Amino acid sequence: GTAVTIGLQYLWYKHFPHSRFHFFNDNAEWLNVDKVGHATTAYNISAFQNNLFRWGGVRPGAAALIGTLTALSFMTMIEVMDGHSAKWGFSPGDMIANLSGCLLFEGQQLLWHEQRISLKYSYHGTIFPHYYPAELGSNLPQRMLKDYNGQSYWLSFNIGSFLPASANCPRWLNAAVGYGAEGMIGARDNPSEINGHPIPSFQRYRQFYFSFDTDLYRLDGLSPLA
């Protein structure tokens, strides 16, 4: 975690001017896709760290707590660095999202000793980075992180874990509800032109999805703890 934080400081934040620590309210940006992304990232760091410590022989309760605290510490450090950046700021909304992702993981470990509900991410290419590559990404890795139009986030429920064993529901079968948004060139609204080039008018709108899903951890032979 420390190495990644130092890397971010020198490879990313050094390109932007620093400032005194300050707060920034970005709750109206990107139709909140970024907030769901924060929660999903925090949840998955918690889960990954938990699995890593369980693989190393740490008992379940301690591994889950270490994983959760590791994720929360890492995400908080990023917000603190944002708070010292003139371009951004420490976002209370981001921190609430970070905490929500961590609590989703830790709460299930305390309640059920397993993850019945998970947060997942998917990406599809869109036309919008073409109009503003500096903001939305100029290549695929950048767009997967910066183009919120192409990001979808899923709350995935493992059906069988909520049913009695007699139901004979496949262990790997999930039902997922998703959220995304499109039509976004800028964070709060769309510019009419960028660097003298006119931008078409796009409607900004939210999208909600439903899909069946596969829990890979419940497929025989794929779980890292099997």
Side-chain angles (χ1 to χ4, degrees), residues 139-209:
N139 55 52
L140 181 59
Q142 290 182 357
R143 291 169 182 173
M144 291 178 69
L145 291 173
K146 300 172 70 174
D147 179 16
Y148 292 110
N149 299 281
Q151 298 176 14
S152 300
Y153 293 95
W154 303 86
L155 196 62
S156 185
F157 298 81
N158 182 249
I159 300 171
S161 62
F162 291 99
L163 300 175
S166 58
N168 292 321
C169 181
R171 294 178 65 249
W172 49 264
L173 182 61
N174 282 21
V177 291
Y179 175 69
E182 289 205 28
M184 301 176 292
I185 303 295
R188 294 175 183 265
D189 48 43
N190 295 344
S192 59
E193 65 174 44
I194 298 174
N195 298 326
H197 300 288
I199 304 299
S201 176
F202 294 107
Q203 180 182 359
R204 300 163 66 94
Y205 61 95
R206 305 173 190 268
Q207 300 180 109
F208 299 91
Y209 319 102

Side-chain angles (χ1 to χ4, degrees), residues 63-106:
L65 183 58
I66 293 170
T68 301
L69 293 178
T70 300
L72 186 59
S73 298
F74 175 71
M75 300 300 286
T76 301
M77 184 57 65
I78 291 178
E79 285 304 319
V80 170
M81 289 191 290
D82 278 354
H84 287 283
S85 172
K87 184 176 180 180
W88 297 287
F90 186 101
S91 167
D94 284 354
M95 276 307 304
I96 292 173
N98 296 336
L99 186 60
S100 298
C102 291
L103 290 178
L104 177 63
F105 174 80
E106 180 66 19

Side-chain angles (χ1 to χ4, degrees), residues 20-21 24 26 31 35 42 51 83 87 108 114 134 148 156 195 198 208 216 221:
R20 295 183 61 183
F21 182 84
F24 176 62
D26 60 352
L31 295 179
K35 297 294 178 285
N51 291 342
K87 184 176 180 180
Q108 291 184 83
E114 65 175 353
Y148 292 110
S156 185
N195 298 326
F208 299 91
L216 297 178

Side-chain angles (χ1 to χ4, degrees), residues 39-47 101-102 104-105 108 115 117-119:
T40 302
T41 301
Y43 171 86
N44 281 283
I45 293 176
S46 300
C102 291
L104 177 63
F105 174 80
Q108 291 184 83
Q115 296 296 297
I117 307 168
S118 57
L119 277 168

